[in-house]
Amino acid sequence: MRIEANYLGMALELHEREVENWQYFHHCIQHEFRLQRCDECGLVRYPPTTACPWCASSGARWVPVDGRGTVHSYTEVHHAVQPAFKPQVPYLILLVELDEQRGRPTPHEALRVVGNLTTVDGVLAPKEITKTVGIGSRVRMVFTDVARGLSLPQWTLDHDAPQPHQPWRAP
Ligand SMILES: [Zn+2]
């Protein structure tokens, strides 16, 4: 079984044989953010994988994770590699450090999840919003429904959280 979809003109394909991805996106389509928690060491991991990156155990179960965090790093795209993305520039790709499991197993190995910056409706954020977001901004997860059977986890500004006075942005 497989799912084919089109996201802003870019073809996406998900196949059942990619077991962990298939299970991950099965939760996303229900707008549930779940990650694997290792049965052996108890750590949650991202991206979905067959074995735990810290203890190599293959035993894990999917647990709900709070999709809130802080922008750890970002890229602002001005030159779209995909022609279909041209009308969308400039847009942001965020690397978000989750509040969940922060600082474990080490301060350098946190759970960091990639996604675009979007509006609360899951649409790529316009320039007026992208220019206000940088390292330190507080964000929460939203889901973009791309096609029947496929939703992408994305990030939007968390208006319930205190925001830094001036998030760091590349000069
Ligand atoms: Zn483990």
Side-chain angles (χ1 to χ4, degrees):
M1 203 174 152
R2 72 176 173 188
I3 294 167
E4 289 178 21
N6 187 296
Y7 177 56
L8 302 175
M10 183 172 66
L12 302 179
E13 191 182 305
L14 187 61
H15 200 282
E16 200 174 10
R17 66 174 171 253
E18 302 161 46
V19 178
E20 290 81 17
N21 266 334
W22 185 263
Q23 292 171 342
Y24 174 71
F25 283 106
H26 173 74
H27 296 122
C28 290
I29 191 65
Q30 295 163 69
H31 293 195
E32 273 183 36
F33 183 49
R34 285 180 183 250
L35 294 176
Q36 295 157 290
R37 184 188 296 281
C38 176
D39 288 342
E40 199 63 36
C41 71
L43 291 170
V44 176
R45 62 181 184 256
Y46 174 89
T49 56
T50 307
C52 175
W54 295 292
C55 77
S57 168
S58 59
R61 64 200 157 85
W62 293 93
V63 294
V65 171
D66 188 25
R68 284 172 204 275
T70 304
V71 174
H72 178 78
S73 190
Y74 73 93
T75 294
E76 190 167 77
V77 181
H78 287 268
H79 301 284
V81 175
Q82 288 275 348
F85 277 63
K86 263 187 185 166
Q88 312 293 338
V89 297
Y91 62 88
L92 290 189
I93 302 167
L94 304 179
L95 181 63
V96 173
E97 183 156 318
L98 299 183
D99 294 343
E100 176 108 12
Q101 199 175 284
R102 197 163 194 189
R104 290 178 57 218
T106 75
H108 306 293
E109 293 180 284
L111 286 173
R112 294 178 188 143
V113 178
V114 174
N116 289 130
L117 178 74
T118 70
T119 65
V120 290
D121 303 319
V123 177
L124 279 182
K127 194 175 180 179
E128 306 83 75
I129 299 178
T130 60
K131 68 183 182 189
T132 68
V133 174
I135 292 173
S137 292
R138 294 285 301 169
V139 291
R140 67 180 174 87
M141 188 170 277
V142 290
F143 289 89
T144 301
D145 293 327
V146 173
R148 199 178 148 84
L150 188 60
S151 291
L152 299 179
Q154 306 275 38
W155 296 107
T156 195
L157 270 173
D158 186 355
H159 293 293
D160 294 332
Q163 295 290 341
H165 175 61
Q166 205 168 17
W168 189 90
R169 287 180 56 83

